[in-house]
């Protein structure tokens, strides 16, 4: 490859040296070169992996995310508004052209790494993705995270459906005049199928940028895209795990006796569930073999560590989070031993698990949801942040993120919720809410008990169990689960008196109602609200 044509816009990058589809061994050599400067250079660790730093950005920069508003997006994109602020901020064609010129002019005479990949293992929906960067480890990251074409597929790859142009050293000096947030930018043109990255080195911008675009293209074809993990049982049954950070999505979807389909992003097409990605992107904070054996063992040659502490001898210290709590590792999914077939889709899910970490001590650890409750809780996307320690939670803060991933939704949340609801009705999928958070006593639900409950949910027993109703949120809670302390199943048992639980539950229900008010313009608002809490007091 001696040039890179950018689809639909008549730009061709010639570069001084274009390396197309480098091997992992080539990238290993390139990214450790002593001639590299600052964040471009990686170091070899005692695990045989490369570790890199992403500079001041150790996570995404959502305030610098923009989408070109044009005839393609004007009436389709879920634009930010005063009623419901989100990350989809519009920019004009003039600003888009300015940012595109900044990036393409910079990359024009650089040594470039170009990797062609697929997003989505379902051939009916997958997109061809091309990532262009001057940074070897960013090409490495992209290869880890997405589906690598076979030699035969690469020969007939053709033009990509979507192109990512990474220019981490490029800054927009005119940001103030253009009314933007800062000199950094992550900008998209849906009509052209392009993502521009400027000023940030964080690898996750590539991953989540492509996910945001899949969240636009696939639902318009009737296939919901989902921010969830998925696994498969020995009998072929499939489960989905939705949850925000800290709720246990990765931990609980990786369990003995079940095979991992994927840990983060999936589509639900006509033939079933398929992983959008070809790799995993796991947190490394406090990582150990005892806590996360599957992730720990996956950190080997070809994995890529981000923002972890590495000693002069190459020793990695996962307990030292002084650089960031968001240290990460990306690795090809075949580093996981208990892996489902990569020939996907794999059929339709039997169970959906919505995960929350309730620090208010209100929700039961497991409950079964009806269809209205699924819609309400899915659109709410509740979890909570805590201050203080697990023993004695202080001032929990509710967090609501629609569809458990509002930051990545390009269309209105109800588009995804309604598509999934139709799938649930069609295939008889059962939905459960699992709370991995805290009891009223301030003690977190034990992991072994939570695992036992999830195993019960995924078994046939949960479909035929007896349930009791817990008031206010009107949740159906099992009367008993073998291997689980019966007292744990009813959250009221965590309080000295039932009235104390009711008081706390009533306050949390008011937070839910206030949050859900942003959906009040929906024609079926009242119907969906029937799946939410019933206020006891008039606040």
């Amino acid at each position: 490859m001696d040039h890179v044509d950018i689809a639909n816009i008549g730009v061709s990058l010639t570069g001084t040296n274009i390396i197309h589809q480098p091997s992992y061994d080539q990238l290993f050599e390139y990214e450790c070169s002593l001639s590299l400067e600052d964040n471009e250079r990686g170091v070899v660790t005692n695990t045989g992996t490369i570790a890199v730093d992403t500079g001041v950005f150790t996570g995404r920069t959502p305030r610098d995310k923009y989408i070109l508003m044009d005839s393609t997006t004007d009436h389709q994109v879920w634009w930010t508004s005063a009623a419901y602020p989100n990350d989809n901020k519009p920019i004009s064609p003039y600003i888009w052209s300015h940012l595109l010129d900044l990036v393409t002019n910079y990359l024009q005479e650089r040594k470039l790494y170009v990797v062609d990949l697929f997003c989505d293992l379902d051939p009916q929906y997958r997109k061809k993705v091309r990532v262009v960067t001057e940074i070897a480890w960013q090409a490495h990251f992209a290869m880890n995270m997405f589906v690598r074409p076979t030699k035969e597929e690469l020969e007939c790859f053709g033009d990509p459906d979507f192109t990512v142009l990474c220019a981490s050293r490029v800054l927009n000096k005119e940001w103030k005049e253009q009314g933007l947030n800062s000199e950094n930018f992550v900008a998209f043109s849906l009509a052209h199928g392009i993502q521009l990255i400027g000023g940030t080195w964080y690898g996750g911008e590539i991953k989540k940028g492509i996910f945001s675009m899949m969240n636009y293209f696939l639902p318009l074809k009737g296939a919901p895209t989902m921010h969830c993990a998925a696994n498969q049982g020995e009998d072929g049954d499939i489960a989905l795990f939705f949850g925000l950070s800290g709720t246990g999505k990765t931990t609980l979807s990786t369990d003995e006796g079940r095979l991992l389909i994927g840990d983060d992003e999936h589509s639900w097409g006509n033939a079933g569930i398929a992983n959008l990605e070809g790799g995993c992107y796991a947190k490394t904070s406090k990582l150990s073999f005892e806590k996360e054996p599957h992730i720990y063992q996956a950190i080997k040659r070809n994995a890529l560590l981000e923002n972890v502490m590495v000693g002069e001898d190459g020793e990695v210290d996962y307990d030292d989070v002084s650089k960031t709590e968001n240290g990460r590792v990306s690795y090809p999914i075949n580093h996981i031993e208990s892996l489902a077939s990569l020939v996907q889709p794999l059929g339709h899910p039997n169970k959906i698990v919505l995960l929350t970490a309730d620090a208010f001590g209100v929700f039961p650890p497991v409950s079964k949801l009806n269809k209205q409750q699924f819609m309400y809780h899915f659109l709410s996307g509740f979890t909570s942040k805590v201050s203080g320690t697990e023993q004695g939670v202080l001032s929990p803060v509710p967090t609501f993120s629609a569809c458990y991933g509002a930051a990545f939704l390009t269309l209105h949340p109800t588009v995804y919720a309604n598509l999934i609801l139709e799938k649930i009705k069609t295939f008889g999928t059962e939905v459960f809410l699992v709370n991995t958070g805290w009891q009223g006593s301030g003690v977190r639900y034990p992991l072994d008990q939570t695992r036992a409950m999830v195993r019960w949910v995924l078994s046939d027993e949960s479909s035929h169990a007896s349930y009791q109703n817990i008031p206010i949120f009107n949740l159906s809670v099992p009367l008993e689960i073998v291997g689980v302390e019966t007292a744990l199943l009813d959250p009221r048992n965590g309080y000295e008196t039932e009235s104390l639980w009711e008081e706390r539950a009533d306050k949390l229900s008011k937070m839910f109602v206030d949050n859900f008010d942003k959906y009040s313009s929906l024609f079926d608002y009242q119907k969906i609200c029937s799946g939410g809490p019933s206020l006891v007091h008039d606040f």
Side-chain angles (χ1 to χ4, degrees):
M1 179 178 282
D2 57 7
H3 68 281
V4 183
D5 289 328
I6 310 302
N8 300 332
I9 59 173
V11 174
S12 182
L13 299 176
T14 56
T16 57
N17 182 13
I18 297 178
I19 302 169
H20 183 224
Q21 221 66 8
S23 67
Y24 276 118
D25 287 343
Q26 286 176 306
L27 288 171
F28 193 94
E29 177 184 349
Y30 296 144
E31 57 202 357
C32 294
S33 172
L34 295 176
S35 64
L36 299 179
E37 300 177 349
D38 51 59
N39 302 321
E40 193 173 3
R41 181 169 173 261
V43 298
V44 183
T45 73
N46 65 329
T47 63
T49 62
I50 298 291
V52 298
D53 282 349
T54 64
V56 295
F57 291 104
T58 56
R60 294 180 305 104
T61 172
R63 290 182 296 177
D64 296 309
K65 176 184 172 183
Y66 307 96
I67 299 175
L68 170 62
M69 178 181 278
D70 55 18
S71 59
T72 301
T73 60
D74 190 9
H75 300 294
Q76 293 273 24
V77 168
W78 178 41
W79 297 110
T80 188
S81 66
Y84 199 157
N86 62 58
D87 297 336
N88 299 325
K89 297 177 288 296
I91 54 172
S92 67
Y94 169 78
I95 296 175
W96 166 259
S97 296
H98 173 74
L99 298 178
L100 180 64
D101 286 346
L102 285 177
V103 170
T104 54
N105 289 339
Y106 175 82
L107 294 176
Q108 189 64 50
E109 299 302 328
R110 304 281 168 176
K111 178 180 179 179
L112 299 177
Y113 299 92
V114 179
V115 288
D116 289 337
L117 304 157
F118 292 124
C119 187
D120 203 337
L121 281 163
D122 188 336
Q124 183 178 354
Y125 302 102
R126 75 180 184 185
K127 295 290 185 181
K128 297 181 292 183
V129 176
R130 175 167 290 165
V131 178
V132 182
T133 177
E134 67 165 331
I135 311 300
W137 70 255
Q138 289 178 346
H140 183 166
F141 174 85
M143 283 177 58
N144 278 355
M145 290 314 309
F146 294 97
V147 182
R148 293 167 292 285
T150 64
K151 181 181 178 182
E152 293 73 23
E153 289 171 332
L154 193 59
E155 288 174 354
C156 58
F157 192 83
D159 293 329
D161 299 306
F162 194 78
T163 301
V164 182
L165 301 178
C166 300
S168 298
R169 291 190 173 96
V170 171
L171 302 173
N172 178 20
K173 300 299 184 181
E174 299 180 27
W175 66 275
K176 288 184 179 179
E177 298 89 326
Q178 295 171 352
L180 305 184
N181 177 67
S182 77
E183 60 188 359
N184 311 293
F185 54 91
V186 180
F188 301 85
S189 170
L190 290 159
H192 300 115
I194 298 174
Q195 177 186 8
L196 306 175
I197 299 176
T200 172
W201 296 73
Y202 184 61
E205 295 289 7
I206 302 171
K207 167 184 162 69
K208 291 305 186 185
I210 294 174
F211 183 45
S212 295
M213 295 303 97
M214 297 298 281
N215 282 340
Y216 179 84
F217 295 118
L218 268 61
L220 295 179
K221 292 184 176 182
T225 42
M226 304 171 293
H227 186 220
C228 69
N231 66 21
Q232 185 178 42
E234 294 176 349
D235 296 329
D237 59 294
I238 292 171
L240 305 182
F241 296 80
F242 290 86
L244 297 171
S245 179
T247 58
K249 182 176 62 173
T250 299
T251 300
L252 295 172
S253 64
T254 306
D255 197 12
E256 190 175 334
R258 297 189 68 85
L259 303 175
L260 182 70
I261 299 174
D263 76 329
D264 197 45
E265 301 171 7
H266 294 83
S267 64
W268 190 347
N270 293 330
I273 298 299
N275 192 355
L276 293 181
E277 301 182 308
C280 299
Y281 194 36
K283 286 188 175 183
T284 57
S285 174
K286 312 293 185 180
L287 180 66
S288 68
F289 175 80
E290 292 72 25
K291 291 181 180 178
E292 299 282 2
H294 296 277
I295 296 174
Y296 193 88
Q297 291 177 310
I299 302 177
K300 55 188 177 182
R301 177 76 177 220
N302 297 342
L304 182 70
L305 289 160
E306 289 183 9
N307 303 314
V308 299
M309 298 302 293
V310 182
E312 293 183 2
D313 59 353
E315 185 79 19
V316 181
D317 186 353
Y318 297 118
D319 290 326
D320 186 345
V321 294
S322 55
K323 187 176 297 183
T324 176
E325 291 274 357
N326 195 39
R328 294 271 182 171
V329 60
S330 65
Y331 49 85
I333 199 167
N334 59 16
H335 281 203
I336 297 291
E337 292 184 5
S338 301
L339 186 64
S341 171
L342 293 178
V343 180
Q344 296 177 18
L346 293 172
H348 302 283
N350 306 75
K351 304 287 176 71
I352 290 176
V353 178
L354 306 183
L355 296 168
T356 184
D358 171 28
F360 294 82
V362 169
F363 280 110
V366 60
S367 52
K368 189 173 184 178
L369 304 184
N370 62 32
K371 295 177 180 61
Q372 286 75 28
Q373 288 174 322
F374 161 75
M375 287 291 285
Y376 189 90
H377 285 277
F378 190 71
L379 288 172
S380 296
F382 165 72
T383 191
S384 48
K385 298 178 181 178
V386 300
S387 57
T389 64
E390 290 192 3
Q391 300 293 328
V393 176
L394 304 175
S395 303
V397 178
T399 299
F400 296 96
S401 182
C403 308
Y404 298 94
F408 319 120
L409 303 184
T410 322
L411 305 173
H412 194 276
T414 54
V415 173
Y416 310 92
N418 283 319
L419 283 171
I420 295 174
L421 179 62
E422 288 305 309
K423 298 280 190 182
I424 288 172
K425 292 178 179 178
T426 300
F427 299 105
T429 307
E430 295 180 301
V431 183
F432 291 79
L433 180 67
V434 171
N435 173 22
T436 63
W438 286 260
Q439 304 166 61
S441 61
V443 177
R444 194 160 191 175
Y445 286 107
L447 178 58
D448 64 328
Q449 295 285 278
T450 301
R451 279 200 183 278
M453 290 183 238
V454 170
R455 289 167 184 158
W456 174 85
V457 163
L458 303 187
S459 72
D460 291 336
E461 294 178 23
S462 61
S463 301
H464 308 290
S466 297
Y467 293 85
Q468 66 168 324
N469 181 71
I470 301 295
I472 300 181
F473 279 89
N474 301 310
L475 295 172
S476 296
V477 174
L479 293 176
E480 63 176 351
I481 297 176
V482 175
V484 175
E485 297 175 29
T486 302
L488 283 180
L489 298 174
D490 189 333
R492 293 171 293 189
N493 293 330
Y495 289 80
E496 292 183 5
T497 65
E498 185 173 336
S499 62
L500 289 175
W501 173 86
E502 183 180 284
E503 180 182 347
R504 181 65 70 90
D506 210 30
K507 289 181 179 178
L508 180 59
S509 68
K510 178 62 166 59
M511 297 175 190
F512 266 79
V513 170
D514 288 345
N515 170 72
F516 212 79
D517 185 60
K518 57 180 169 277
Y519 296 115
S520 60
S521 61
L522 299 178
F523 77 94
D524 54 353
Y525 172 71
Q526 293 298 333
K527 182 178 180 181
I528 297 174
C529 283
S530 69
S534 303
L535 294 179
V536 177
H537 299 102
D538 183 13
F539 285 82

